Amino acid sequence: RLIFLGFEVGVRVKTGGWLTTCAQANNPCRQAYIDYNGLGQNRQSWDPMTVLLAVRGADAMLLREAGMGGTCCVDAATAANEWIPGKNSNQTYVQITSDESLF
């Protein structure tokens, strides 16, 4: 099945800033965040969250799957996406289920 992690989820979760100030100087992840955002700066977390979702699942991330059976439609010109409710698909998306102050 395909699970989509949309803008509204990844934009709320910030990563990297803390790592750049606590990890050892030779840590490649630390350096990647510094090179991309600068020392102590966070970034939205669509990519890291998507990887963690694939490995651990939605429950481990305080997320829940929704929209079973619909499809994600992407506008080729703008890259904006929209969930189209429906039946008979293997697609779903995730939503934040916990106290949003954690993010």
Side-chain angles (χ1 to χ4, degrees):
R1 88 180 178 260
L2 299 174
I3 304 173
F4 293 92
L5 188 143
F7 176 86
E8 67 283 352
V9 175
V11 75
R12 290 183 174 158
V13 180
K14 310 289 194 288
T15 55
W18 182 77
L19 178 68
T20 67
T21 61
C22 72
Q24 295 181 2
N26 64 349
N27 183 305
C29 292
R30 174 187 183 267
Q31 191 61 50
Y33 274 106
I34 291 171
D35 291 347
Y36 190 78
N37 291 319
L39 186 65
Q41 299 299 309
N42 285 316
R43 73 176 301 261
Q44 292 85 7
S45 301
W46 299 281
D47 296 341
M49 289 185 71
T50 300
V51 171
L52 190 57
L53 177 63
V55 173
R56 300 286 176 147
D59 291 341
M61 299 174 59
L62 305 174
L63 301 173
R64 72 177 181 92
E65 287 188 57
M68 262 320 179
T71 57
C72 182
C73 182
V74 180
D75 184 312
T78 66
N81 63 71
E82 174 184 14
W83 188 258
I84 309 296
K87 298 180 182 178
N88 300 326
S89 83
N90 65 344
Q91 298 180 28
T92 186
Y93 63 92
V94 291
Q95 296 175 320
I96 294 174
T97 60
S98 69
D99 179 355
E100 292 186 22
S101 68
L102 295 173
F103 300 96

